[in-house]
Amino acid sequence: MKSRFKLQYHTATGKLKPNDTAIYYFEAPDSKPKKKKRVRKITIQKDGRLSAPFGEGFFDETPRLMLSIMNLSDEN
């Protein structure tokens, strides 16, 4: 996550141009609706905003994974 926010910051401050970066978001195979494209290109606009939101559950997954990693460390 940190790197995406840094790209947005650098675009908003003019260190990067909007055409310098792109994020390709891959929808889960079981995502709904089925007619939606599986791979979406999300660009960073001149003001640092994203051209489209990420899919459902994207931000929810990171804390869960971090907790799993911490639990693995506690077990060792």
Side-chain angles (χ1 to χ4, degrees):
M1 283 306 178
K2 186 176 179 182
S3 60
R4 176 185 64 88
F5 291 123
K6 193 171 247 184
L7 288 173
Q8 287 179 263
Y9 174 79
H10 287 310
T11 303
T13 59
K15 289 184 181 181
L16 291 173
K17 297 175 187 167
N19 291 339
D20 290 341
T21 59
I23 301 166
Y24 290 92
Y25 182 79
F26 293 78
E27 296 284 347
D30 58 347
S31 67
K32 297 173 187 168
K34 298 284 185 188
K35 293 181 182 179
K36 192 183 235 184
K37 289 183 178 179
R38 293 273 322 275
V39 179
R40 292 188 291 130
K41 181 179 178 181
I42 299 173
T43 59
I44 301 173
Q45 299 175 17
K46 187 176 180 178
D47 62 1
R49 290 181 300 123
L50 298 178
S51 62
F54 287 112
E56 189 175 310
F58 183 81
F59 291 104
D60 300 340
E61 187 68 10
T62 300
R64 187 188 69 74
L65 290 172
M66 293 301 293
L67 185 57
S68 295
I69 291 170
M70 287 172 38
N71 287 336
L72 286 174
S73 297
D74 290 342
E75 292 174 6
N76 294 325

